[in-house]
Amino acid sequence: MTIRPMTMADMDAIERLQKANPTGAQWNPIDYLAYSTMMAEKDGAVIGFLCFHPLPNGVDGRTEAEILNVAIEPAQKRRGVATQLLATLDFQVLYLDVRETNRPALEFYRKHGFKKTGHRRKYYNYPVEDSIMMTRG
C-alpha cells in the first residue's frame, strides 16, 4: 500500500469513496484541496483517504491537527488502511468527531489512543446525530 498526498486527479476517487461511506462527510471533492488529504493506494487503485487540518500549536507548544474525514473502500475495511493513514499524521495532539452510533470508528480510535473529551448534540446531518469528540495526546 502507498500513502500519498491528494491531487486533482483524485476527485473521482474521493467522490466514489464518499458514496461508499454514506454516513461520512459528503463534501464537494474539490473542497478537500483546501485541507491536507492523504490518499491510500493499492495496486494502482485509491482505497481510502484521510483529510485533516493542521492547527496552530497549542499554548503548551505541542503540534495539533483536527481529523475532518476518513473514508475507506468497504471491501478494504479492517485491513489496516485507516491505521496506515493515521500513522502519517505527525502531530502531538489530534482531535476529531465521530458519529455517536459509529461503533467501529469509536473502537478504532480508542484502540489508537483517543479518549472521549466531549459530546456535541445534533452535530451531524443526514441523518441528524450527535457526535463524540475525541482527543489523542
Side-chain angles (χ1 to χ4, degrees), residues 114-133:
F114 286 81
K115 296 189 181 339
K116 180 179 176 179
T117 53
H119 179 256
R120 297 186 215 229
R121 293 186 45 75
K122 299 181 180 178
Y123 180 78
Y124 290 102
N125 295 313
Y126 312 111
V128 173
E129 188 173 339
D130 293 356
S131 86
I132 301 297
M133 299 164 60

Side-chain angles (χ1 to χ4, degrees), residues 7-8 10 18 25 29-30 46 50 58 63 68 77 80 92-93 97:
T7 69
M8 287 291 292
D10 292 316
Q18 286 187 142
I30 202 156
V46 173
L50 182 150
T63 59
L68 302 173
K77 288 185 179 182
Q92 294 165 307
V93 181
D97 284 88

Side-chain angles (χ1 to χ4, degrees), residues 56-62 64:
N57 288 358
V59 294
D60 58 4
R62 296 189 302 164
E64 300 182 358

Side-chain angles (χ1 to χ4, degrees), residues 29-119:
I30 202 156
D31 291 342
Y32 285 94
L33 292 171
Y35 301 97
S36 298
T37 304
M38 302 304 292
M39 309 300 290
E41 276 187 342
K42 183 177 179 185
D43 300 325
V46 173
I47 58 171
F49 70 86
L50 182 150
C51 178
F52 66 99
H53 177 62
L55 301 169
N57 288 358
V59 294
D60 58 4
R62 296 189 302 164
T63 59
E64 300 182 358
E66 180 180 11
I67 296 173
L68 302 173
N69 196 16
V70 179
I72 307 298
E73 184 70 45
Q76 297 296 323
K77 288 185 179 182
R78 298 192 161 284
R79 295 188 178 177
V81 179
T83 297
Q84 288 191 39
L85 285 163
L86 185 60
T88 67
L89 301 185
D90 188 23
F91 296 91
Q92 294 165 307
V93 181
L94 291 170
Y95 304 100
L96 57 85
D97 284 88
V98 179
R99 281 183 184 271
E100 185 175 54
T101 59
N102 190 343
R103 297 293 170 215
L106 288 165
E107 183 56 34
F108 170 82
Y109 291 118
R110 282 188 196 108
K111 178 178 141 186
H112 287 87
F114 286 81
K115 296 189 181 339
K116 180 179 176 179
T117 53
H119 179 256

